[in-house]
Amino acid sequence: MTDLLTPVLTANWGDERAWKLVNYERTGGYQGLRTALTMDPADVVAQVKDAGLRGRGGAGFPTGMKWGFIPQDNPKPKYLVVNADESEPGTCKDIPLMMASPHTLVEGVIISAYAIRSHTAFIYVRGEVVHVVRRLQQAVREAYSAGYAGQNILGTGYDLEIIVHAGAGAYICGEETALLDSLEGRRGQPRLRPPFPAVAGLYASPTVINNVESIASVPSILARGAAWFSSMGTEKSKGMTIYSLSGHVTRPGQFEAPLGITLRQLLDLAGGIRAGHQLKFWTPGGSSTPILTPEHLDVPLDYEGVASVKSMLGTKALQCFDETTSVVRTVLRWTEFYKHESCGKCTPCREGTWWLVQILGRMEAGRGEEGDIEKLLDLCENILGRSFCALGDGATSPISSAIKYFRDEFEAAMHTPAWELFPYERSTVFVREPALSGGGQA
């Protein structure tokens, strides 16, 4: 089964001190940059287009096409911004990548900035992960010292300044225009579009914003070629990607495989659902994507495959829940997160998520009222497509899909608390053993 895996971004994660420049170079690091610097920037963009790389942050927009939107006749500076504000519940791919092999990202930043003719690049990192910020800062310093960044990179005359910026810990700053406002020193709130960032982004200048994994995938494309990259994956979803399995699985973690692999195959690699239990529901791309059930185990995990069953691939955060889990409690916890993280700019999201939490909280306690299910669906309908950004849409997706597949649990919430139907201790993965007698520890 392990031949299903295609370790490229994760190939050096297990190496000794893989985050150090000398060890990264030993495994072929910065060869992609050397290749790119011998090419015209437009040819680098063309190679990424030919490879079929699509954004790995959730939307799946073609990366090379996004780069091509930058108006090169605009006299203003061009900026590259890396969205490293990984915050989606269940998502855990970018932070491990930056911790284990930060130079993979740094090399990708330099190549990508060169391709769009940018001389300033920002890596916007979630503020709480101080260890990641320090690891990236160290990698950037090493890149400067080795001549890969700064002035006259590798003697080519190309200059690039790389800035690692720590955000203040707001989930909304994962939305690209809110991230730009935060970078400019303002409160992170989404902007009205148009104008789009490619035309008027950071400091009202042409800006490309890409996810960490998207940018980190670029060096391998330059080093090995577009044909090599596009030989993996499916017809419309090319290449390899990192799937994050968590929840009630035997061996959770990151699994790098070609796009199009199925959850059934990934679960086999992860040892299956924990012993004695069976899969009940799962998310294909984090908590903001519509949930799926065991009947979808063989759906190809690519952009088109997941969309065909009315969900989204998102960040490929595969959260798996077994039969001990209360669906009502799960969607309540997610909704509480979205309510807390709503920036408050638009009424549908600000007010809608508050009311969703009130109703779901009542239902979790077994105090649901007649019409609550219809009220939830009506709220979701009035938030979906009407909020200022996708945060509101993401808050509704798990609720409407949960009612679709598990309506009986919501009906039971009219009279029975979720903790009686599904005792919460049974869904706990790690149960603390009781203390031993005589003051010992378990």
Side-chain angles (χ1 to χ4, degrees), residues 166-396:
Y171 172 72
I172 190 63
C173 289
E175 198 280 334
E176 61 179 18
T177 60
L179 186 155
L180 294 179
D181 267 16
S182 177
L183 261 181
E184 292 178 0
R186 293 194 289 271
R187 179 180 178 181
Q189 291 187 324
R191 299 177 180 177
L192 183 65
R193 289 172 286 190
F196 292 93
V199 177
L202 187 65
Y203 308 125
S205 297
T207 305
V208 161
I209 308 168
N210 276 129
N211 168 260
V212 167
E213 188 185 349
S214 308
I215 296 295
S217 299
V218 171
S220 61
I221 293 174
L222 270 294
R224 306 189 193 187
W228 163 81
F229 185 86
S230 61
S231 68
M232 297 180 282
T234 59
E235 181 182 357
K236 294 183 178 179
S237 299
K238 306 288 188 182
M240 71 290 163
T241 192
I242 301 174
Y243 295 95
S244 305
L245 265 70
S246 63
H248 295 136
V249 295
T250 303
R251 292 191 299 274
Q254 288 75 34
F255 296 81
E256 188 175 3
L259 282 157
I261 196 172
T262 66
L263 179 61
R264 187 184 302 277
Q265 292 171 310
L266 287 169
L267 281 175
D268 287 342
L269 291 167
I273 297 298
R274 61 178 179 162
H277 298 276
Q278 58 187 10
L279 179 67
K280 179 178 179 180
F281 65 97
W282 55 286
T283 67
S287 63
S288 63
T289 57
I291 66 172
L292 298 176
T293 64
E295 69 181 88
H296 304 110
L297 275 171
D298 296 309
V299 170
L301 293 175
D302 61 13
Y303 299 102
E304 292 70 35
V306 179
S308 70
V309 291
K310 310 301 182 186
S311 190
M312 297 177 291
L313 187 62
T315 56
K316 304 167 294 298
L318 304 164
Q319 300 174 95
C320 301
F321 302 88
D322 65 24
E323 80 287 350
T324 65
T325 309
S326 164
V327 174
V328 174
R329 184 196 188 206
T330 302
V331 295
L332 169 60
R333 295 297 176 268
W334 287 334
T335 310
E336 286 174 331
F337 171 82
Y338 291 116
K339 166 185 167 288
H340 180 267
E341 294 295 334
S342 174
C343 73
K345 183 168 186 173
C346 71
T347 302
C349 181
R350 182 186 66 246
E351 302 298 322
T353 53
W354 189 89
W355 280 108
L356 288 172
V357 168
Q358 303 310 302
I359 297 172
L360 286 169
R362 197 165 63 228
M363 297 179 86
E364 183 195 26
R367 295 185 285 103
E369 300 173 0
E370 185 178 351
D372 271 355
I373 297 177
E374 288 68 30
K375 194 175 295 181
L376 282 173
L377 292 172
D378 184 62
L379 280 166
C380 290
E381 184 179 339
N382 280 281
I383 297 171
L384 184 64
R386 292 176 172 85
S387 56
F388 203 85
C389 75
L391 189 151
D393 295 353
T396 69

Side-chain angles (χ1 to χ4, degrees), residues 39-274:
M39 302 165 61
D40 185 81
D43 293 334
V44 177
V45 175
Q47 186 155 333
V48 173
K49 284 183 180 179
D50 293 343
L53 174 64
R54 295 173 65 173
R56 302 301 198 230
F61 193 83
T63 303
M65 185 181 297
K66 179 183 278 190
W67 293 0
F69 290 155
I70 294 292
Q72 294 299 337
D73 57 350
N74 191 316
K76 292 184 176 180
K78 283 76 177 173
Y79 294 107
L80 173 69
V81 177
V82 179
N83 186 344
D85 191 51
E86 184 172 69
S87 314
E88 176 82 3
T91 305
C92 48
K93 62 183 181 67
D94 294 342
I95 285 175
L97 192 157
M98 291 185 286
M99 276 298 290
S101 186
H103 281 285
T104 305
L105 175 60
V106 173
E107 182 181 6
V109 166
I110 302 166
I111 296 171
S112 304
Y114 174 75
I116 65 171
R117 296 177 170 87
S118 168
H119 297 285
T120 307
F122 293 86
I123 304 174
Y124 184 101
V125 191
R126 189 163 178 80
E128 291 94 334
V129 288
V130 178
H131 53 300
V132 177
V133 174
R134 290 171 178 166
R135 180 66 50 89
L136 276 174
Q137 289 172 334
Q138 181 190 42
V140 169
R141 282 195 297 268
E142 286 186 318
Y144 270 88
S145 298
Y148 295 128
Q151 302 294 311
N152 192 24
I153 295 174
L154 298 180
T156 61
Y158 174 61
D159 304 333
L160 177 67
E161 182 179 2
I162 303 174
I163 300 162
V164 177
H165 180 94
Y171 172 72
I172 190 63
C173 289
E175 198 280 334
E176 61 179 18
T177 60
L179 186 155
L180 294 179
D181 267 16
S182 177
L183 261 181
E184 292 178 0
R186 293 194 289 271
R187 179 180 178 181
Q189 291 187 324
R191 299 177 180 177
L192 183 65
R193 289 172 286 190
F196 292 93
V199 177
L202 187 65
Y203 308 125
S205 297
T207 305
V208 161
I209 308 168
N210 276 129
N211 168 260
V212 167
E213 188 185 349
S214 308
I215 296 295
S217 299
V218 171
S220 61
I221 293 174
L222 270 294
R224 306 189 193 187
W228 163 81
F229 185 86
S230 61
S231 68
M232 297 180 282
T234 59
E235 181 182 357
K236 294 183 178 179
S237 299
K238 306 288 188 182
M240 71 290 163
T241 192
I242 301 174
Y243 295 95
S244 305
L245 265 70
S246 63
H248 295 136
V249 295
T250 303
R251 292 191 299 274
Q254 288 75 34
F255 296 81
E256 188 175 3
L259 282 157
I261 196 172
T262 66
L263 179 61
R264 187 184 302 277
Q265 292 171 310
L266 287 169
L267 281 175
D268 287 342
L269 291 167
I273 297 298
R274 61 178 179 162

